[in-house]
Amino acid sequence: MSATATPPSTTTPAITELHHWIAGTPTTGTSNRFADVYHPASGRIQSRVPLATAAEVNAAVAAAAAAFPDWSAQPPLRRARVLFRFREIFERRLDEVAALINREHGKVFSDARGEATRGLENIEFATAIPHLLKGELTEQVGSGVDSYSMRQPLGVVAGITPFNFPAMVPLWMFPLALACGNTFVLKPSERDPSSANLLAEMLKEAGLPDGVFNVVHGDKVAVDAILAHPTIQAVSFVGSTPIAEYVYRTGTATGKRVQALGGAKNHMIVMPDADLDQAADALVGAAYGSAGERCMAISVAVTVGSATADNLIAKLESRIADLRIGDGAQPPSGETAESDLGPLITRAHLDKVTSYIALGEEEGAELVVDGRNPTLNPGPLTLDPPAGFFLGATLFDHVKPTMRIYKEEIFGPVLGVVRSNNFETALQLINDHEFGNGTSIFTRDGDTARDFARRVQAGMVGINVPIPVPMAFHSFGGWKRSLFGDHAIYGPEGVRFYTRLKTITARWPTGIRAGVDTTMPTLG
């Protein structure tokens, strides 16, 4: 697939039919149930994705189970070499991945390229698996007795991933799972499913044995089949909090290990001493980038002091006025500049987000900037504005903690400003919220920043950093109702999640013929 933009056309493109990927082969769906995949910038249906039956999930699991003995027996270095080749292929085709994300998700090309790059970092981390799987050894824990540990793969594991990062979030999961010796079944979002198939093709090109990685597309039928399947040992999930809780409770009830990352309502505190230009730039990027469809998007700015709020609002308004809204495909060289915000992913999601804007007005928040019916930036596509799923940056002031637009995750380009009188009140707002995914503070004061980092009840904290997503060699995970389970995702936590710890205590023949001893061994 080309990374260049789709040329303008007066004809309706043909609708393609997608497929599953089972045992190293594209597999046609048999359910006769399909979901439409839209081109968000034009509103057109561009493909149909099959929705798997339980039998198709079973076939993918059977392929993964059959591949597990040989794959898990491979030395970690050999598994790493496959991932090295996958990494090279992925990097070479990164623009192709970004263009595909743009076409199905709608985020602008540069943002899609950033998503792919962050995914690449997780592949790179996984290639270090020979080092990451090293255990511990203690010699002579007792006379002639040594003790050592090892980490071993679980077996068949599964990932259920969201629409907002169709390449990056799967790459949070399967490279590390495969590196640890597991085999994998991926159920991507049915809204933008093609990235998963492209990743499967790249893995096959890299030499991954058939069956080690499988893709089944689907809806709740497929999810429930994964959660109920007795062969699947662990499930990784990223999505909304209600579904994350469902996945966690259902999966653990069947004996699975589950990490389920849920929703968020990420706050940024802006202190009176903050660099307000820096804070305003950060807020616009963090609140409106990817049209707000990020679990780490800042959706609440908490200003300390009325002067801080007034000055920040003015700076936000001027920056929002300069945002370009439109088709996010890569512009041909020398032509119009790329848009800053692309469309939302579907008409249904657009309607949901705009309903929150109407609700905010009803609740009494001040609508400073209304993003409904935006003027579109000319782009490489000929667009029909009513058909595309566009929404401009929206800004509310005087949002109260009792309002639904404050309490609930909107998942769109909507930023609310909550005014507080002091730091303690601002901090308490964050700590009282049901979500605890990410948060940040903008300040010049080291004491305030340190106190905030220590006391705030959230899993990821930024200090003058608006979106504190950890690098691949750390781990990602929130607190409270933003994470269900004991393990954060990727990084060192990912290695622990996808392996079991085994500890061996060994003594060799000398001195073991002393006869039966029924007392508790002390070894000292």
Short mmCIF file of all heavy atoms in Angstrom, two decimals, residues 406-452:
data_model
loop_
_atom_site.label_atom_id
_atom_site.label_comp_id
_atom_site.label_asym_id
_atom_site.label_seq_id
_atom_site.Cartn_x
_atom_site.Cartn_y
_atom_site.Cartn_z
N TYR A 406 -17.34 16.53 33.11
CA TYR A 406 -16.14 16.38 33.92
C TYR A 406 -15.93 14.93 34.34
O TYR A 406 -14.81 14.41 34.30
CB TYR A 406 -16.21 17.26 35.16
CG TYR A 406 -15.08 17.00 36.14
CD1 TYR A 406 -13.82 17.56 35.92
CD2 TYR A 406 -15.25 16.18 37.25
CE1 TYR A 406 -12.77 17.30 36.79
CE2 TYR A 406 -14.21 15.92 38.12
CZ TYR A 406 -12.97 16.48 37.89
OH TYR A 406 -11.93 16.22 38.75
N LYS A 407 -16.99 14.27 34.72
CA LYS A 407 -16.87 12.93 35.29
C LYS A 407 -16.54 11.86 34.25
O LYS A 407 -15.81 10.91 34.53
CB LYS A 407 -18.16 12.54 36.00
CG LYS A 407 -18.50 13.36 37.22
CD LYS A 407 -19.84 12.91 37.80
CE LYS A 407 -20.24 13.68 39.04
NZ LYS A 407 -21.56 13.23 39.57
N GLU A 408 -17.10 11.99 33.05
CA GLU A 408 -17.08 10.90 32.09
C GLU A 408 -16.03 11.11 31.01
O GLU A 408 -15.71 12.24 30.65
CB GLU A 408 -18.47 10.74 31.46
CG GLU A 408 -19.54 10.42 32.50
CD GLU A 408 -20.95 10.37 31.93
OE1 GLU A 408 -21.10 10.38 30.68
OE2 GLU A 408 -21.91 10.34 32.73
N GLU A 409 -15.53 10.00 30.50
CA GLU A 409 -14.57 10.05 29.40
C GLU A 409 -15.31 10.36 28.10
O GLU A 409 -16.20 9.62 27.69
CB GLU A 409 -13.83 8.72 29.28
CG GLU A 409 -12.74 8.73 28.22
CD GLU A 409 -11.97 7.43 28.17
OE1 GLU A 409 -12.59 6.36 28.32
OE2 GLU A 409 -10.74 7.47 27.96
N ILE A 410 -14.94 11.45 27.44
CA ILE A 410 -15.62 11.88 26.21
C ILE A 410 -14.94 11.29 24.99
O ILE A 410 -15.58 10.92 24.01
CB ILE A 410 -15.67 13.42 26.14
CG1 ILE A 410 -16.48 13.96 27.32
CG2 ILE A 410 -16.25 13.89 24.82
CD1 ILE A 410 -16.49 15.47 27.44
N PHE A 411 -13.65 11.21 24.98
CA PHE A 411 -12.85 10.60 23.92
C PHE A 411 -13.01 11.34 22.60
O PHE A 411 -13.23 10.75 21.54
CB PHE A 411 -13.21 9.12 23.76
CG PHE A 411 -12.00 8.24 23.52
CD1 PHE A 411 -11.02 8.14 24.48
CD2 PHE A 411 -11.85 7.54 22.34
CE1 PHE A 411 -9.90 7.35 24.28
CE2 PHE A 411 -10.73 6.74 22.12
CZ PHE A 411 -9.75 6.65 23.09
N GLY A 412 -12.91 12.65 22.68
CA GLY A 412 -12.97 13.51 21.51
C GLY A 412 -12.27 14.81 21.81
O GLY A 412 -11.74 15.02 22.92
N PRO A 413 -12.23 15.74 20.85
CA PRO A 413 -11.47 16.98 21.01
C PRO A 413 -12.20 18.01 21.87
O PRO A 413 -12.57 19.10 21.40
CB PRO A 413 -11.29 17.46 19.57
CG PRO A 413 -12.52 16.96 18.87
CD PRO A 413 -12.83 15.63 19.51
N VAL A 414 -12.44 17.65 23.13
CA VAL A 414 -13.18 18.51 24.05
C VAL A 414 -12.34 18.69 25.31
O VAL A 414 -12.02 17.71 26.00
CB VAL A 414 -14.55 17.90 24.41
CG1 VAL A 414 -15.30 18.82 25.37
CG2 VAL A 414 -15.37 17.64 23.15
N LEU A 415 -11.98 19.92 25.61
CA LEU A 415 -11.18 20.25 26.80
C LEU A 415 -12.01 21.10 27.73
O LEU A 415 -12.63 22.08 27.32
CB LEU A 415 -9.91 21.02 26.39
CG LEU A 415 -9.04 21.58 27.52
CD1 LEU A 415 -8.46 20.46 28.37
CD2 LEU A 415 -7.93 22.46 26.95
N GLY A 416 -12.04 20.72 29.01
CA GLY A 416 -12.74 21.49 30.02
C GLY A 416 -11.77 22.13 31.00
O GLY A 416 -10.80 21.48 31.41
N VAL A 417 -12.02 23.37 31.35
CA VAL A 417 -11.19 24.07 32.34
C VAL A 417 -11.95 24.15 33.66
O VAL A 417 -13.08 24.64 33.71
CB VAL A 417 -10.82 25.49 31.86
CG1 VAL A 417 -10.05 26.24 32.95
CG2 VAL A 417 -9.99 25.42 30.58
N VAL A 418 -11.33 23.63 34.70
CA VAL A 418 -11.87 23.70 36.06
C VAL A 418 -11.01 24.69 36.84
O VAL A 418 -9.78 24.56 36.88
CB VAL A 418 -11.85 22.32 36.75
CG1 VAL A 418 -12.36 22.43 38.18
CG2 VAL A 418 -12.67 21.31 35.95
N ARG A 419 -11.65 25.65 37.45
CA ARG A 419 -10.91 26.68 38.21
C ARG A 419 -10.82 26.28 39.68
O ARG A 419 -11.82 25.88 40.28
CB ARG A 419 -11.60 28.03 38.06
CG ARG A 419 -11.60 28.55 36.62
CD ARG A 419 -12.35 29.85 36.49
NE ARG A 419 -12.30 30.38 35.12
CZ ARG A 419 -11.89 31.61 34.80
NH1 ARG A 419 -11.51 32.45 35.76
NH2 ARG A 419 -11.86 32.00 33.54
N SER A 420 -9.63 26.39 40.24
CA SER A 420 -9.44 26.12 41.67
C SER A 420 -8.65 27.26 42.29
O SER A 420 -7.93 27.99 41.60
CB SER A 420 -8.70 24.79 41.87
OG SER A 420 -7.39 24.88 41.36
N ASN A 421 -8.78 27.38 43.59
CA ASN A 421 -8.15 28.49 44.29
C ASN A 421 -6.73 28.19 44.73
O ASN A 421 -5.95 29.12 44.97
CB ASN A 421 -8.98 28.90 45.52
CG ASN A 421 -10.33 29.48 45.13
OD1 ASN A 421 -10.43 30.16 44.11
ND2 ASN A 421 -11.35 29.20 45.92
N ASN A 422 -6.41 26.92 44.90
CA ASN A 422 -5.09 26.60 45.42
C ASN A 422 -4.67 25.20 44.97
O ASN A 422 -5.48 24.42 44.44
CB ASN A 422 -5.07 26.69 46.95
CG ASN A 422 -6.17 25.85 47.59
OD1 ASN A 422 -6.18 24.63 47.46
ND2 ASN A 422 -7.12 26.50 48.26
N PHE A 423 -3.41 24.87 45.20
CA PHE A 423 -2.85 23.59 44.78
C PHE A 423 -3.54 22.42 45.46
O PHE A 423 -3.82 21.39 44.82
CB PHE A 423 -1.35 23.57 45.08
CG PHE A 423 -0.72 22.22 44.93
CD1 PHE A 423 -0.48 21.68 43.68
CD2 PHE A 423 -0.37 21.48 46.06
CE1 PHE A 423 0.09 20.41 43.54
CE2 PHE A 423 0.21 20.22 45.93
CZ PHE A 423 0.45 19.69 44.68
N GLU A 424 -3.83 22.53 46.75
CA GLU A 424 -4.42 21.41 47.47
C GLU A 424 -5.79 21.04 46.88
O GLU A 424 -6.11 19.86 46.73
CB GLU A 424 -4.56 21.74 48.96
CG GLU A 424 -3.24 21.78 49.70
CD GLU A 424 -2.55 20.42 49.75
OE1 GLU A 424 -3.24 19.38 49.70
OE2 GLU A 424 -1.30 20.41 49.85
N THR A 425 -6.60 22.04 46.55
CA THR A 425 -7.90 21.76 45.93
C THR A 425 -7.73 21.10 44.58
O THR A 425 -8.46 20.16 44.23
CB THR A 425 -8.70 23.07 45.79
OG1 THR A 425 -8.84 23.68 47.07
CG2 THR A 425 -10.07 22.80 45.19
N ALA A 426 -6.77 21.58 43.80
CA ALA A 426 -6.53 21.01 42.48
C ALA A 426 -6.09 19.55 42.59
O ALA A 426 -6.57 18.67 41.85
CB ALA A 426 -5.47 21.83 41.75
N LEU A 427 -5.18 19.28 43.51
CA LEU A 427 -4.71 17.91 43.71
C LEU A 427 -5.84 17.01 44.16
O LEU A 427 -5.97 15.85 43.70
CB LEU A 427 -3.58 17.91 44.74
CG LEU A 427 -3.02 16.54 45.13
CD1 LEU A 427 -2.39 15.84 43.94
CD2 LEU A 427 -1.99 16.70 46.26
N GLN A 428 -6.70 17.49 45.03
CA GLN A 428 -7.80 16.67 45.54
C GLN A 428 -8.78 16.31 44.44
O GLN A 428 -9.36 15.22 44.45
CB GLN A 428 -8.52 17.41 46.67
CG GLN A 428 -9.40 16.49 47.52
CD GLN A 428 -8.60 15.40 48.22
OE1 GLN A 428 -7.55 15.68 48.80
NE2 GLN A 428 -9.08 14.17 48.15
N LEU A 429 -8.98 17.22 43.48
CA LEU A 429 -9.85 16.91 42.35
C LEU A 429 -9.38 15.65 41.63
O LEU A 429 -10.18 14.76 41.31
CB LEU A 429 -9.86 18.08 41.36
CG LEU A 429 -10.74 19.27 41.67
CD1 LEU A 429 -10.43 20.41 40.69
CD2 LEU A 429 -12.22 18.89 41.57
N ILE A 430 -8.09 15.58 41.38
CA ILE A 430 -7.53 14.42 40.67
C ILE A 430 -7.67 13.16 41.53
O ILE A 430 -8.08 12.11 41.05
CB ILE A 430 -6.05 14.67 40.32
CG1 ILE A 430 -5.92 15.92 39.44
CG2 ILE A 430 -5.45 13.47 39.62
CD1 ILE A 430 -4.49 16.36 39.20
N ASN A 431 -7.33 13.29 42.79
CA ASN A 431 -7.35 12.11 43.66
C ASN A 431 -8.76 11.59 43.92
O ASN A 431 -8.95 10.41 44.21
CB ASN A 431 -6.65 12.42 44.97
CG ASN A 431 -5.14 12.56 44.81
OD1 ASN A 431 -4.59 12.19 43.77
ND2 ASN A 431 -4.47 13.09 45.82
N ASP A 432 -9.76 12.46 43.80
CA ASP A 432 -11.13 12.04 44.03
C ASP A 432 -11.78 11.41 42.79
O ASP A 432 -12.84 10.79 42.90
CB ASP A 432 -11.99 13.24 44.46
CG ASP A 432 -11.71 13.67 45.89
OD1 ASP A 432 -11.08 12.88 46.64
OD2 ASP A 432 -12.10 14.79 46.26
N HIS A 433 -11.16 11.57 41.63
CA HIS A 433 -11.78 11.06 40.40
C HIS A 433 -11.65 9.55 40.33
O HIS A 433 -10.68 8.97 40.83
CB HIS A 433 -11.14 11.70 39.17
CG HIS A 433 -12.05 11.72 37.97
ND1 HIS A 433 -12.29 10.59 37.22
CD2 HIS A 433 -12.78 12.71 37.42
CE1 HIS A 433 -13.14 10.90 36.24
NE2 HIS A 433 -13.46 12.18 36.35
N GLU A 434 -12.65 8.89 39.70
CA GLU A 434 -12.64 7.43 39.63
C GLU A 434 -11.51 6.89 38.76
O GLU A 434 -11.05 5.76 38.93
CB GLU A 434 -13.97 6.89 39.10
CG GLU A 434 -14.27 7.23 37.66
CD GLU A 434 -15.49 6.46 37.12
OE1 GLU A 434 -15.61 5.26 37.44
OE2 GLU A 434 -16.29 7.06 36.40
N PHE A 435 -11.03 7.69 37.80
CA PHE A 435 -9.94 7.26 36.93
C PHE A 435 -8.61 7.75 37.48
O PHE A 435 -8.54 8.81 38.11
CB PHE A 435 -10.12 7.79 35.51
CG PHE A 435 -11.36 7.28 34.82
CD1 PHE A 435 -12.28 8.15 34.27
CD2 PHE A 435 -11.62 5.92 34.73
CE1 PHE A 435 -13.42 7.70 33.63
CE2 PHE A 435 -12.75 5.44 34.10
CZ PHE A 435 -13.67 6.34 33.54
N GLY A 436 -7.56 7.01 37.21
CA GLY A 436 -6.22 7.41 37.63
C GLY A 436 -5.18 7.00 36.61
O GLY A 436 -4.19 6.36 36.95
N ASN A 437 -5.43 7.32 35.34
CA ASN A 437 -4.54 6.87 34.29
C ASN A 437 -3.28 7.74 34.24
O ASN A 437 -2.23 7.36 34.71
CB ASN A 437 -5.26 6.90 32.94
CG ASN A 437 -4.63 5.97 31.92
OD1 ASN A 437 -4.30 4.84 32.25
ND2 ASN A 437 -4.48 6.43 30.69
N GLY A 438 -3.39 8.94 33.67
CA GLY A 438 -2.25 9.84 33.60
C GLY A 438 -2.62 11.22 34.10
O GLY A 438 -3.80 11.59 34.16
N THR A 439 -1.63 12.01 34.46
CA THR A 439 -1.85 13.37 34.92
C THR A 439 -0.56 14.14 34.75
O THR A 439 0.52 13.56 34.52
CB THR A 439 -2.29 13.39 36.39
OG1 THR A 439 -2.66 14.70 36.77
CG2 THR A 439 -1.17 12.90 37.30
N SER A 440 -0.66 15.46 34.82
CA SER A 440 0.55 16.27 34.72
C SER A 440 0.38 17.58 35.46
O SER A 440 -0.75 17.98 35.81
CB SER A 440 0.92 16.53 33.25
OG SER A 440 -0.05 17.37 32.64
N ILE A 441 1.49 18.24 35.70
CA ILE A 441 1.49 19.56 36.32
C ILE A 441 2.48 20.43 35.58
O ILE A 441 3.56 19.97 35.17
CB ILE A 441 1.84 19.48 37.82
CG1 ILE A 441 1.67 20.85 38.49
CG2 ILE A 441 3.24 18.94 38.04
CD1 ILE A 441 1.75 20.79 40.01
N PHE A 442 2.11 21.69 35.37
CA PHE A 442 3.02 22.66 34.79
C PHE A 442 3.33 23.71 35.85
O PHE A 442 2.44 24.39 36.36
CB PHE A 442 2.41 23.30 33.53
CG PHE A 442 2.72 22.50 32.29
CD1 PHE A 442 2.25 21.20 32.15
CD2 PHE A 442 3.50 23.02 31.27
CE1 PHE A 442 2.54 20.44 31.03
CE2 PHE A 442 3.80 22.28 30.14
CZ PHE A 442 3.32 20.98 30.01
N THR A 443 4.60 23.79 36.21
CA THR A 443 5.05 24.68 37.27
C THR A 443 6.55 24.89 37.11
O THR A 443 7.24 24.07 36.49
CB THR A 443 4.74 24.09 38.65
OG1 THR A 443 5.19 24.99 39.66
CG2 THR A 443 5.43 22.75 38.86
N ARG A 444 7.06 25.98 37.69
CA ARG A 444 8.50 26.20 37.75
C ARG A 444 9.06 25.81 39.11
O ARG A 444 10.28 25.88 39.33
CB ARG A 444 8.83 27.67 37.48
CG ARG A 444 8.38 28.22 36.13
CD ARG A 444 8.64 29.72 36.06
NE ARG A 444 8.00 30.35 34.92
CZ ARG A 444 8.60 30.60 33.75
NH1 ARG A 444 9.84 30.22 33.57
NH2 ARG A 444 7.94 31.20 32.79
N ASP A 445 8.20 25.43 40.04
CA ASP A 445 8.60 25.21 41.42
C ASP A 445 8.87 23.73 41.68
O ASP A 445 7.98 22.89 41.56
CB ASP A 445 7.50 25.71 42.37
CG ASP A 445 7.91 25.57 43.82
OD1 ASP A 445 8.77 26.35 44.26
OD2 ASP A 445 7.39 24.66 44.48
N GLY A 446 10.10 23.41 42.05
CA GLY A 446 10.48 22.02 42.28
C GLY A 446 9.78 21.40 43.46
O GLY A 446 9.42 20.21 43.43
N ASP A 447 9.55 22.16 44.53
CA ASP A 447 8.86 21.61 45.70
C ASP A 447 7.43 21.19 45.36
O ASP A 447 6.98 20.11 45.75
CB ASP A 447 8.83 22.65 46.83
CG ASP A 447 10.19 22.87 47.46
OD1 ASP A 447 11.07 22.01 47.27
OD2 ASP A 447 10.37 23.91 48.13
N THR A 448 6.73 22.05 44.61
CA THR A 448 5.36 21.72 44.22
C THR A 448 5.34 20.50 43.31
O THR A 448 4.51 19.59 43.48
CB THR A 448 4.71 22.91 43.50
OG1 THR A 448 4.71 24.04 44.38
CG2 THR A 448 3.29 22.59 43.09
N ALA A 449 6.25 20.45 42.35
CA ALA A 449 6.30 19.32 41.42
C ALA A 449 6.59 18.02 42.15
O ALA A 449 5.95 16.98 41.89
CB ALA A 449 7.35 19.58 40.35
N ARG A 450 7.53 18.05 43.09
CA ARG A 450 7.88 16.83 43.82
C ARG A 450 6.72 16.37 44.69
O ARG A 450 6.41 15.17 44.77
CB ARG A 450 9.13 17.08 44.67
CG ARG A 450 9.61 15.84 45.41
CD ARG A 450 10.89 16.15 46.19
NE ARG A 450 11.41 14.94 46.82
CZ ARG A 450 11.01 14.46 48.00
NH1 ARG A 450 10.07 15.12 48.66
NH2 ARG A 450 11.53 13.36 48.49
N ASP A 451 6.06 17.31 45.34
CA ASP A 451 4.92 16.98 46.19
C ASP A 451 3.78 16.38 45.36
O ASP A 451 3.14 15.41 45.76
CB ASP A 451 4.45 18.24 46.92
CG ASP A 451 3.43 17.94 48.00
OD1 ASP A 451 3.62 16.97 48.76
OD2 ASP A 451 2.42 18.68 48.08
N PHE A 452 3.56 16.97 44.20
CA PHE A 452 2.52 16.47 43.29
C PHE A 452 2.84 15.05 42.86
O PHE A 452 1.97 14.15 42.92
CB PHE A 452 2.43 17.39 42.08
CG PHE A 452 1.47 16.92 41.02
CD1 PHE A 452 0.10 17.07 41.19
CD2 PHE A 452 1.93 16.34 39.84
CE1 PHE A 452 -0.78 16.63 40.21
CE2 PHE A 452 1.06 15.91 38.86
CZ PHE A 452 -0.31 16.06 39.04
#
